Amino acid sequence: MKKIAVFASGNGSNFEAIAQACADGRLEAEVALMVCDKPGAYVNERAERLGIPAFTFNPKDYSCKSGYEKIIADKLDALGVELVCLAGYMRIIGDELLNRYQGRIINIHPSLLPAFQGAQAVERAVEYGVKVYGITIHRVDQTLDGGKIIAQEAFHYDGHDPEEVHALGQVIEHRLYVDTIRKLL
Ligand code: GAR
């Protein structure tokens, strides 16, 4: 069984979609670890309910990024993790993880990259008057949301409510992430 890790900072609906797909056999993989940089985030409750091991840390407890990334990378190595899936992990990945997991870290982003890189992508797109939105899954490198694109899916929306765009996008995200992980594994 292939081992994957999911990194998240908040709600964790993508984490749960991936974990459920592993549990019901749509993905022949196991979520060996959920990594979270926010001790109070809802994703921690999801991991506990699903019985998935979690490593949750507070970046402020470390003097630098490589301090906690070394601990994470050691855990991933010990578990034999082959693919790292960022799912709403709102932190730039540093050299320690990038070097040790080169080409094996992917991210999901709520825009048609390279448009609207970075935080608040949906809110900025709505403000811009965008009519065709989308979801991108891409490889992670040292650039912000700039790695090579693996999968994209677009949808049309002509309103003005970021919450509606988020809701429409998340339905696509949960399916597209599972399908993309299956292809990569
Ligand atoms: C997702 O919509 C994902 O695309 C976005 O965070 C959300 C996390 O949702 N990621 C980014 O904006 C990365 N730049 P979730 O916690 O419910 O999975």
mmCIF file of all heavy atoms in Angstrom, residues 8-15 46 87-90 107-110 118-121 135 145 166 170 173-174, ligand 1:
data_model
loop_
_atom_site.group_PDB
_atom_site.id
_atom_site.type_symbol
_atom_site.label_atom_id
_atom_site.label_comp_id
_atom_site.label_asym_id
_atom_site.label_seq_id
_atom_site.Cartn_x
_atom_site.Cartn_y
_atom_site.Cartn_z
ATOM 1 N N ALA A 8 -2.235 20.340 6.011
ATOM 2 C CA ALA A 8 -3.369 21.274 6.005
ATOM 3 C C ALA A 8 -3.214 22.282 7.140
ATOM 4 O O ALA A 8 -2.538 22.011 8.137
ATOM 5 C CB ALA A 8 -4.671 20.503 6.151
ATOM 6 N N SER A 9 -3.900 23.432 6.989
ATOM 7 C CA SER A 9 -3.814 24.485 8.013
ATOM 8 C C SER A 9 -5.174 24.848 8.600
ATOM 9 O O SER A 9 -5.232 25.604 9.565
ATOM 10 C CB SER A 9 -3.217 25.765 7.414
ATOM 11 O OG SER A 9 -1.927 25.555 6.925
ATOM 12 N N GLY A 10 -6.272 24.375 7.981
ATOM 13 C CA GLY A 10 -7.566 24.900 8.409
ATOM 14 C C GLY A 10 -8.664 23.868 8.483
ATOM 15 O O GLY A 10 -8.620 22.919 9.269
ATOM 16 N N ASN A 11 -9.628 24.009 7.598
ATOM 17 C CA ASN A 11 -10.840 23.193 7.622
ATOM 18 C C ASN A 11 -10.558 21.708 7.371
ATOM 19 O O ASN A 11 -11.027 20.837 8.088
ATOM 20 C CB ASN A 11 -11.807 23.775 6.580
ATOM 21 C CG ASN A 11 -13.064 22.970 6.445
ATOM 22 O OD1 ASN A 11 -13.551 22.392 7.417
ATOM 23 N ND2 ASN A 11 -13.606 22.913 5.248
ATOM 24 N N GLY A 12 -9.808 21.417 6.333
ATOM 25 C CA GLY A 12 -9.411 20.029 6.077
ATOM 26 C C GLY A 12 -10.389 19.201 5.266
ATOM 27 O O GLY A 12 -10.336 17.973 5.318
ATOM 28 N N SER A 13 -11.257 19.850 4.474
ATOM 29 C CA SER A 13 -12.215 19.048 3.687
ATOM 30 C C SER A 13 -11.497 18.237 2.600
ATOM 31 O O SER A 13 -11.906 17.112 2.291
ATOM 32 C CB SER A 13 -13.309 19.931 3.080
ATOM 33 O OG SER A 13 -12.806 20.735 2.043
ATOM 34 N N ASN A 14 -10.433 18.768 2.033
ATOM 35 C CA ASN A 14 -9.668 17.991 1.042
ATOM 36 C C ASN A 14 -8.959 16.822 1.706
ATOM 37 O O ASN A 14 -8.911 15.723 1.150
ATOM 38 C CB ASN A 14 -8.655 18.886 0.308
ATOM 39 C CG ASN A 14 -9.299 19.681 -0.803
ATOM 40 O OD1 ASN A 14 -9.575 19.149 -1.872
ATOM 41 N ND2 ASN A 14 -9.581 20.948 -0.532
ATOM 42 N N PHE A 15 -8.410 17.060 2.895
ATOM 43 C CA PHE A 15 -7.789 15.965 3.650
ATOM 44 C C PHE A 15 -8.806 14.841 3.851
ATOM 45 O O PHE A 15 -8.521 13.671 3.615
ATOM 46 C CB PHE A 15 -7.290 16.492 5.005
ATOM 47 C CG PHE A 15 -7.129 15.426 6.045
ATOM 48 C CD1 PHE A 15 -6.120 14.473 5.936
ATOM 49 C CD2 PHE A 15 -8.005 15.351 7.127
ATOM 50 C CE1 PHE A 15 -5.990 13.462 6.890
ATOM 51 C CE2 PHE A 15 -7.879 14.356 8.077
ATOM 52 C CZ PHE A 15 -6.875 13.409 7.963
ATOM 53 N N ARG A 46 -10.880 16.281 12.446
ATOM 54 C CA ARG A 46 -11.166 15.298 11.383
ATOM 55 C C ARG A 46 -10.183 14.126 11.482
ATOM 56 O O ARG A 46 -10.576 12.968 11.359
ATOM 57 C CB ARG A 46 -11.039 15.954 10.010
ATOM 58 C CG ARG A 46 -12.074 17.030 9.707
ATOM 59 C CD ARG A 46 -11.953 17.404 8.228
ATOM 60 N NE ARG A 46 -12.625 18.638 7.880
ATOM 61 C CZ ARG A 46 -13.774 18.704 7.209
ATOM 62 N NH1 ARG A 46 -14.402 17.623 6.842
ATOM 63 N NH2 ARG A 46 -14.283 19.896 6.897
ATOM 64 N N ALA A 87 -2.906 20.515 1.116
ATOM 65 C CA ALA A 87 -4.349 20.728 0.953
ATOM 66 C C ALA A 87 -4.771 21.863 1.875
ATOM 67 O O ALA A 87 -5.203 21.643 3.007
ATOM 68 C CB ALA A 87 -5.110 19.440 1.277
ATOM 69 N N GLY A 88 -4.569 23.085 1.395
ATOM 70 C CA GLY A 88 -4.879 24.240 2.240
ATOM 71 C C GLY A 88 -3.812 24.438 3.304
ATOM 72 O O GLY A 88 -4.097 24.934 4.385
ATOM 73 N N TYR A 89 -2.564 24.049 3.001
ATOM 74 C CA TYR A 89 -1.431 24.283 3.911
ATOM 75 C C TYR A 89 -0.875 25.658 3.559
ATOM 76 O O TYR A 89 -0.256 25.828 2.507
ATOM 77 C CB TYR A 89 -0.383 23.195 3.730
ATOM 78 C CG TYR A 89 0.810 23.290 4.660
ATOM 79 C CD1 TYR A 89 0.675 23.041 6.025
ATOM 80 C CD2 TYR A 89 2.077 23.602 4.180
ATOM 81 C CE1 TYR A 89 1.770 23.104 6.879
ATOM 82 C CE2 TYR A 89 3.179 23.664 5.016
ATOM 83 C CZ TYR A 89 3.013 23.412 6.367
ATOM 84 O OH TYR A 89 4.106 23.469 7.206
ATOM 85 N N MET A 90 -1.155 26.646 4.414
ATOM 86 C CA MET A 90 -0.892 28.040 4.037
ATOM 87 C C MET A 90 0.497 28.485 4.498
ATOM 88 O O MET A 90 0.650 29.479 5.206
ATOM 89 C CB MET A 90 -1.988 28.944 4.611
ATOM 90 C CG MET A 90 -3.386 28.540 4.181
ATOM 91 S SD MET A 90 -3.556 28.275 2.406
ATOM 92 C CE MET A 90 -4.382 29.782 1.954
ATOM 93 N N ASN A 107 0.377 20.438 -4.750
ATOM 94 C CA ASN A 107 -0.496 21.393 -4.062
ATOM 95 C C ASN A 107 -1.775 21.596 -4.868
ATOM 96 O O ASN A 107 -1.768 21.485 -6.103
ATOM 97 C CB ASN A 107 0.230 22.739 -3.923
ATOM 98 C CG ASN A 107 -0.612 23.786 -3.217
ATOM 99 O OD1 ASN A 107 -1.240 23.513 -2.196
ATOM 100 N ND2 ASN A 107 -0.638 24.998 -3.758
ATOM 101 N N ILE A 108 -2.852 21.892 -4.163
ATOM 102 C CA ILE A 108 -4.107 22.260 -4.845
ATOM 103 C C ILE A 108 -4.369 23.738 -4.583
ATOM 104 O O ILE A 108 -4.178 24.224 -3.458
ATOM 105 C CB ILE A 108 -5.281 21.361 -4.407
ATOM 106 C CG1 ILE A 108 -6.496 21.589 -5.316
ATOM 107 C CG2 ILE A 108 -5.648 21.571 -2.928
ATOM 108 C CD1 ILE A 108 -7.500 20.451 -5.289
ATOM 109 N N HIS A 109 -4.774 24.458 -5.633
ATOM 110 C CA HIS A 109 -4.945 25.906 -5.519
ATOM 111 C C HIS A 109 -6.263 26.315 -6.189
ATOM 112 O O HIS A 109 -6.576 25.837 -7.289
ATOM 113 C CB HIS A 109 -3.769 26.620 -6.187
ATOM 114 C CG HIS A 109 -3.810 28.103 -6.011
ATOM 115 N ND1 HIS A 109 -3.464 28.719 -4.827
ATOM 116 C CD2 HIS A 109 -4.185 29.093 -6.860
ATOM 117 C CE1 HIS A 109 -3.613 30.029 -4.960
ATOM 118 N NE2 HIS A 109 -4.058 30.278 -6.190
ATOM 119 N N PRO A 110 -7.022 27.227 -5.546
ATOM 120 C CA PRO A 110 -8.361 27.563 -6.067
ATOM 121 C C PRO A 110 -8.376 28.645 -7.143
ATOM 122 O O PRO A 110 -9.131 29.614 -7.048
ATOM 123 C CB PRO A 110 -9.105 28.015 -4.805
ATOM 124 C CG PRO A 110 -8.050 28.656 -3.986
ATOM 125 C CD PRO A 110 -6.774 27.891 -4.257
ATOM 126 N N GLY A 118 -1.131 32.791 -4.773
ATOM 127 C CA GLY A 118 -1.087 33.288 -3.393
ATOM 128 C C GLY A 118 -2.420 33.228 -2.677
ATOM 129 O O GLY A 118 -3.365 32.588 -3.129
ATOM 130 N N ALA A 119 -2.474 33.930 -1.537
ATOM 131 C CA ALA A 119 -3.648 33.867 -0.648
ATOM 132 C C ALA A 119 -4.827 34.655 -1.232
ATOM 133 O O ALA A 119 -4.643 35.501 -2.112
ATOM 134 C CB ALA A 119 -3.268 34.418 0.722
ATOM 135 N N GLN A 120 -6.032 34.349 -0.743
ATOM 136 C CA GLN A 120 -7.251 35.084 -1.130
ATOM 137 C C GLN A 120 -7.481 35.054 -2.635
ATOM 138 O O GLN A 120 -7.963 36.036 -3.221
ATOM 139 C CB GLN A 120 -7.166 36.540 -0.645
ATOM 140 C CG GLN A 120 -6.951 36.689 0.846
ATOM 141 C CD GLN A 120 -8.207 36.370 1.653
ATOM 142 O OE1 GLN A 120 -9.268 36.936 1.412
ATOM 143 N NE2 GLN A 120 -8.112 35.441 2.573
ATOM 144 N N ALA A 121 -7.120 33.942 -3.277
ATOM 145 C CA ALA A 121 -7.205 33.854 -4.739
ATOM 146 C C ALA A 121 -8.646 34.046 -5.224
ATOM 147 O O ALA A 121 -8.893 34.798 -6.180
ATOM 148 C CB ALA A 121 -6.662 32.502 -5.208
ATOM 149 N N ILE A 135 -9.702 25.253 -10.689
ATOM 150 C CA ILE A 135 -8.869 24.593 -9.685
ATOM 151 C C ILE A 135 -7.620 24.088 -10.393
ATOM 152 O O ILE A 135 -7.704 23.560 -11.510
ATOM 153 C CB ILE A 135 -9.631 23.384 -9.074
ATOM 154 C CG1 ILE A 135 -10.966 23.837 -8.453
ATOM 155 C CG2 ILE A 135 -8.750 22.634 -8.086
ATOM 156 C CD1 ILE A 135 -10.860 24.841 -7.340
ATOM 157 N N ASP A 145 3.168 29.034 -5.731
ATOM 158 C CA ASP A 145 2.158 28.514 -6.665
ATOM 159 C C ASP A 145 2.654 28.516 -8.112
ATOM 160 O O ASP A 145 1.873 28.707 -9.044
ATOM 161 C CB ASP A 145 0.850 29.333 -6.567
ATOM 162 C CG ASP A 145 0.223 29.231 -5.187
ATOM 163 O OD1 ASP A 145 0.353 28.176 -4.555
ATOM 164 O OD2 ASP A 145 -0.395 30.218 -4.753
ATOM 165 N N HIS A 166 -16.223 29.452 -3.695
ATOM 166 C CA HIS A 166 -15.531 28.454 -2.863
ATOM 167 C C HIS A 166 -16.299 27.135 -2.865
ATOM 168 O O HIS A 166 -15.711 26.059 -3.019
ATOM 169 C CB HIS A 166 -15.394 28.950 -1.424
ATOM 170 C CG HIS A 166 -14.198 29.823 -1.189
ATOM 171 N ND1 HIS A 166 -12.908 29.347 -1.305
ATOM 172 C CD2 HIS A 166 -14.084 31.122 -0.847
ATOM 173 C CE1 HIS A 166 -12.058 30.330 -1.051
ATOM 174 N NE2 HIS A 166 -12.736 31.417 -0.773
ATOM 175 N N GLN A 170 -14.891 23.675 -4.323
ATOM 176 C CA GLN A 170 -14.521 22.556 -3.441
ATOM 177 C C GLN A 170 -15.089 21.224 -3.914
ATOM 178 O O GLN A 170 -14.447 20.187 -3.746
ATOM 179 C CB GLN A 170 -14.929 22.858 -2.004
ATOM 180 C CG GLN A 170 -13.996 23.904 -1.381
ATOM 181 C CD GLN A 170 -13.488 23.521 -0.013
ATOM 182 O OE1 GLN A 170 -14.281 23.268 0.875
ATOM 183 N NE2 GLN A 170 -12.171 23.505 0.174
ATOM 184 N N GLU A 173 -12.588 20.234 -6.315
ATOM 185 C CA GLU A 173 -11.313 19.912 -5.657
ATOM 186 C C GLU A 173 -11.298 18.487 -5.122
ATOM 187 O O GLU A 173 -10.338 17.740 -5.332
ATOM 188 C CB GLU A 173 -11.052 20.881 -4.493
ATOM 189 C CG GLU A 173 -10.649 22.271 -4.939
ATOM 190 C CD GLU A 173 -10.148 23.111 -3.773
ATOM 191 O OE1 GLU A 173 -10.454 22.784 -2.608
ATOM 192 O OE2 GLU A 173 -9.449 24.104 -4.032
ATOM 193 N N HIS A 174 -12.381 18.121 -4.416
ATOM 194 C CA HIS A 174 -12.386 16.811 -3.746
ATOM 195 C C HIS A 174 -12.275 15.672 -4.755
ATOM 196 O O HIS A 174 -11.617 14.668 -4.493
ATOM 197 C CB HIS A 174 -13.647 16.663 -2.888
ATOM 198 C CG HIS A 174 -13.731 17.692 -1.802
ATOM 199 N ND1 HIS A 174 -14.900 17.998 -1.143
ATOM 200 C CD2 HIS A 174 -12.785 18.523 -1.280
ATOM 201 C CE1 HIS A 174 -14.665 18.949 -0.260
ATOM 202 N NE2 HIS A 174 -13.396 19.290 -0.321
HETATM 203 C C1 GAR B 1 -8.775 24.784 -0.738
HETATM 204 O O1 GAR B 1 -9.819 25.431 -1.429
HETATM 205 C C2 GAR B 1 -7.461 24.970 -1.453
HETATM 206 O O2 GAR B 1 -7.600 25.105 -2.829
HETATM 207 C C3 GAR B 1 -6.945 26.239 -0.822
HETATM 208 O O3 GAR B 1 -7.308 26.154 0.526
HETATM 209 C C4 GAR B 1 -8.557 25.450 0.610
HETATM 210 C C5 GAR B 1 -8.475 24.453 1.734
HETATM 211 O O4 GAR B 1 -9.724 23.875 1.963
HETATM 212 N N1 GAR B 1 -5.535 26.370 -0.976
HETATM 213 C C6 GAR B 1 -4.916 27.521 -1.190
HETATM 214 O O5 GAR B 1 -5.482 28.591 -1.238
HETATM 215 C C7 GAR B 1 -3.402 27.381 -1.374
HETATM 216 N N2 GAR B 1 -2.829 28.583 -1.850
HETATM 217 P P1 GAR B 1 -9.903 22.645 2.929
HETATM 218 O O6 GAR B 1 -9.130 22.987 4.224
HETATM 219 O O7 GAR B 1 -11.352 22.529 3.190
HETATM 220 O O8 GAR B 1 -9.325 21.432 2.274
#
